[in-house]
Amino acid sequence: MNYEPVIGLEVHVQLKTESKMFCRSRNAESSEPVRHASGEAVADGPNVNICEICTGQPGALPVINMEAVKKAVMVGLALNCKIERYSKFDRKNYFYPDLPKGYQISQLDHPINGRGELEIIVDGKVRKIGITRAHLEEDAGKLIHSGGFSLVDYNRAGTPLLEIVSEPDIKTSEEARVYLQELQNIMRYLGVSDADMEKGHLRCDANVSLRKVGENGLPPYKVEVKNMNSFKAVASAIEYEIKRQAEVLQSGQTPKNETRGWVDADSTTVSQRSKEESQDYRYFPEPDLPTLEFTEEWLADLRRRLPELPKARQVRFMADYNITKKDAVQLVAYKELGNYFEQVMSELSEWLVVDKAGDGNKFGQVALNWILGPFLSALNEKKLLPDECKVTPENFAELVKLIMQGQVSNLAAKEVFTKMFETGEDPSVLLEDMGLTQVSDEGVILDAVRKVLAENPKGVEDAKVKGEKAFGFLVGQTMKELKGKGNPQVINELLKKELK
Ligand SMILES: [Zn+2]
């Protein structure tokens, strides 16, 4: 029997704010070290970013962090969510040592962001993944188990989290991976989170179940998989579950409702517990916090100030720089590389205006080929961000210019680039020093062509009779005459002209 997967993702995003969700303690995930008034840095350690509110002392009252609310709404706007004019917080009760209050403040029936959708492209096809909701809540602390006892660190307790719940619209592990990557990208463009999965800024739980092909309803069971800390792990865990559940179904049984954990080392999922229902949490409205109500003006203002998102940037890059869609998609997926490309293009455009260079249209694609090719490989190899490397956008633009002007062959340009990446030197200087300047001067090349033709009457005859191959001999001779530095295109053109 054939089955198809029904997949929904729950993504937790740590919001980058100065302070925690409901108190003034520092958000432990901020990367800057905390400083005294004297400017002296205080080392981070466990339980330093805490107060009576986030450790749940009796009588302590929470206050809503508006910065977190604003960032949550920005995400809602980016995901085309219906921003709820009225939303409220609720207590989700459960007992665990990393949760000092004995409940988590979350949002149950009136989340800040309602229905939305995210468009993804998988194998060239556009897919719309529904967003059920994106609500605000607080994170728990951390338990550290070591040497037969457990330690608790409340630095993370009470830090703001945005939980983004998708509709069960995802059909393959690849769609799940692309959806997550797109979400990560949006968080980074919005600047609301670093969204690094390995560091836990972005955490994903996957709900996976199977139904018979052709059926429409939701399957009668649901398996939640946790503990994946990379895009690859999410895809592998989903693949594993699809296979496991198909085997259970084929044996005539129904898979259990349960929460399973991904074990990266073994590439398997293991049962952790039976799945909780929401009534197990005895939700009730948080009595210590007011409801949130937004005015149209506030929302309109936030919408106006939303930064450019990946999709819009992709469209703009294609129009402004005449680059292919495939390349534009790859470029915007890496925000910093897109920024670098724009700086290079701005250098080039200044030069295009000043020098009135001919085919300005092609510069974008040539620059991009070099950025997505040799530049990106070199960055990856050295594990550097674009603005951390020694090649300035100015020098990069200079190299592109030299290539476009025919002053350096593609092959020689690669040598120059390698050296630029090591030393940060100016490409024109390197070209001179390395003796790689290409000869494109028509006068110089014409002299060489005429000399070769005069010295090779047989070659000239052959070229006229036999064509291509014999013509190549003359090109080779001319190149030799120019010590390998002649511009092959110019040599070809002039030879053809002279042979007529
Ligand atoms: Zn606190």
Side-chain angles (χ1 to χ4, degrees):
M1 197 171 293
N2 280 330
Y3 297 98
E4 64 177 8
V6 179
I7 304 163
L9 298 182
E10 285 169 23
V11 175
H12 283 91
V13 179
Q14 285 185 341
L15 296 178
K16 214 159 61 167
T17 53
E18 285 296 316
S19 55
K20 293 187 181 183
M21 188 62 231
F22 301 111
C23 65
R24 297 178 72 173
S25 302
R26 193 167 72 95
N27 183 346
E29 299 298 326
S30 301
S31 52
E32 289 300 304
V34 67
R35 288 179 191 280
H36 276 315
S38 67
E40 177 201 356
V42 179
D44 264 359
N47 299 309
V48 291
N49 302 316
I50 57 172
C51 73
E52 52 280 81
I53 296 171
C54 56
T55 53
Q57 307 302 311
L61 290 172
V63 177
I64 299 169
N65 179 344
M66 260 323 274
E67 189 59 24
V69 171
K70 196 179 113 192
K71 286 184 164 144
V73 175
M74 282 166 73
V75 175
L77 290 171
L79 297 177
N80 306 300
C81 289
K82 179 174 183 287
I83 311 299
E84 301 298 338
R85 292 289 298 278
Y86 160 89
S87 58
K88 70 173 181 52
F89 289 99
D90 300 278
R91 286 188 185 180
K92 178 179 179 178
N93 297 278
Y94 68 96
F95 294 96
Y96 207 66
D98 62 6
L99 192 71
K101 296 196 291 289
Y103 60 85
Q104 177 195 29
I105 303 180
S106 181
Q107 297 189 297
L108 179 65
D109 48 356
H110 288 280
I112 205 161
N113 299 303
R115 283 298 293 251
E117 67 175 23
L118 178 61
E119 206 178 274
I120 56 171
I121 300 176
V122 180
D123 295 331
K125 274 187 230 137
V126 176
R127 294 265 296 121
K128 285 184 174 162
I129 307 299
I131 305 287
T132 314
R133 54 192 282 155
H135 67 259
L136 262 175
E137 59 187 32
E138 56 176 341
D139 210 343
K142 274 182 190 164
L143 287 177
I144 300 139
H145 307 285
S146 75
F149 52 87
S150 294
L151 300 167
V152 63
D153 177 6
Y154 289 128
N155 279 347
R156 198 179 67 181
T159 57
L161 276 186
L162 186 72
E163 180 173 342
I164 304 167
V165 183
S166 88
E167 289 289 287
D169 289 345
I170 298 167
K171 289 178 182 157
T172 64
S173 59
E174 177 63 5
E175 284 184 6
R177 196 186 59 75
V178 175
Y179 169 86
L180 278 177
Q181 234 154 13
E182 195 64 40
L183 269 189
Q184 178 188 57
N185 215 9
I186 289 173
M187 300 307 143
R188 289 178 175 175
Y189 271 73
L190 290 173
V192 300
S193 173
D194 292 333
D196 195 328
M197 270 197 98
E198 276 80 2
K199 290 183 183 151
H201 305 149
L202 191 145
R203 292 168 244 158
C204 172
D205 301 335
N207 287 306
V208 186
S209 50
L210 301 184
R211 70 181 166 211
K212 283 180 199 152
V213 171
E215 277 181 358
N216 273 324
L218 287 178
Y221 71 95
K222 192 150 96 175
V223 175
E224 185 178 28
V225 192
K226 288 178 177 286
N227 296 346
M228 295 87 79
N229 63 0
S230 67
F231 293 127
K232 192 167 160 274
V234 172
S236 306
I238 290 173
E239 284 297 319
Y240 179 86
E241 270 306 301
I242 292 171
K243 200 161 160 272
R244 185 188 70 83
Q245 293 175 24
E247 281 167 13
V248 175
L249 287 164
Q250 255 139 15
S251 74
Q253 291 170 302
T254 304
K256 277 193 229 126
N257 276 327
E258 62 181 343
T259 300
R260 298 177 70 88
W262 173 247
V263 186
D264 218 23
D266 307 338
S267 295
T268 53
T269 65
V270 293
S271 181
Q272 288 184 326
R273 55 175 189 264
S274 64
K275 201 159 165 42
E276 303 89 348
E277 299 293 331
S278 79
Q279 58 262 32
D280 294 339
Y281 290 121
R282 296 178 300 112
Y283 275 99
F284 63 85
E286 168 60 59
D288 292 338
L289 288 173
T291 56
L292 286 169
E293 283 171 60
F294 305 128
T295 63
E296 278 305 334
E297 292 75 29
W298 186 81
L299 279 176
D301 188 50
L302 204 56
R303 194 187 294 273
R304 231 186 347 261
R305 285 192 278 161
L306 219 54
E308 183 181 44
L309 291 167
K311 190 81 209 285
R313 189 180 221 193
Q314 178 206 316
V315 172
R316 184 170 61 82
F317 275 8
M318 285 165 63
D320 286 3
Y321 305 126
N322 198 30
I323 59 176
T324 65
K325 183 172 180 182
K326 186 169 161 271
D327 286 342
V329 169
Q330 198 189 338
L331 188 59
V332 299
Y334 187 173
K335 186 183 167 196
E336 291 81 3
L337 198 64
N339 294 347
Y340 189 90
F341 172 71
E342 261 199 307
Q343 286 164 5
V344 170
M345 289 314 291
S346 132
E347 295 286 342
L348 280 171
S349 71
E350 273 173 39
W351 172 75
L352 281 170
V353 171
V354 176
D355 283 18
K356 295 205 183 58
D359 202 354
N361 236 350
K362 284 188 181 157
F363 278 75
Q365 192 64 49
V366 171
L368 188 56
N369 292 345
W370 277 83
I371 282 180
L372 293 178
F375 187 53
L376 187 55
S377 336
L379 288 175
N380 288 342
E381 199 193 322
K382 297 273 182 235
K383 296 196 165 59
L384 290 174
L385 284 171
D387 61 0
E388 289 170 345
C389 83
K390 289 180 178 164
V391 184
T392 62
E394 213 180 331
N395 280 343
F396 202 108
E398 176 91 23
L399 181 67
V400 173
K401 200 168 89 181
L402 292 170
I403 296 166
M404 294 295 284
Q405 286 174 331
Q407 293 194 45
V408 58
S409 69
N410 251 313
L411 207 63
K414 287 210 170 96
E415 275 183 57
V416 172
F417 175 76
T418 307
K419 198 82 186 170
M420 275 169 77
F421 200 84
E422 271 169 32
T423 63
E425 276 179 84
D426 187 290
S428 308
V429 175
L430 282 172
L431 209 56
E432 284 289 317
D433 291 355
M434 295 164 84
L436 291 169
T437 311
Q438 182 169 261
V439 178
S440 295
D441 185 313
E442 295 205 0
V444 176
I445 294 178
L446 192 58
D447 285 347
V449 165
R450 286 185 174 151
K451 186 162 180 251
V452 167
L453 294 183
E455 286 170 0
N456 294 284
K458 171 118 183 24
V460 174
E461 268 318 297
D462 285 353
K464 282 181 178 163
V465 183
K466 296 180 190 161
E468 200 70 14
K469 203 173 167 195
F471 182 75
F473 168 77
L474 293 174
V475 173
Q477 288 300 307
T478 313
M479 194 57 118
K480 208 166 145 194
E481 188 62 35
L482 292 162
K483 300 194 172 62
K485 290 175 190 164
N487 182 332
Q489 217 179 326
V490 180
I491 294 177
N492 262 295
E493 278 166 23
L494 292 178
L495 259 177
K496 273 183 196 154
K497 242 189 234 170
E498 289 295 301
L499 280 171
K500 263 184 193 160

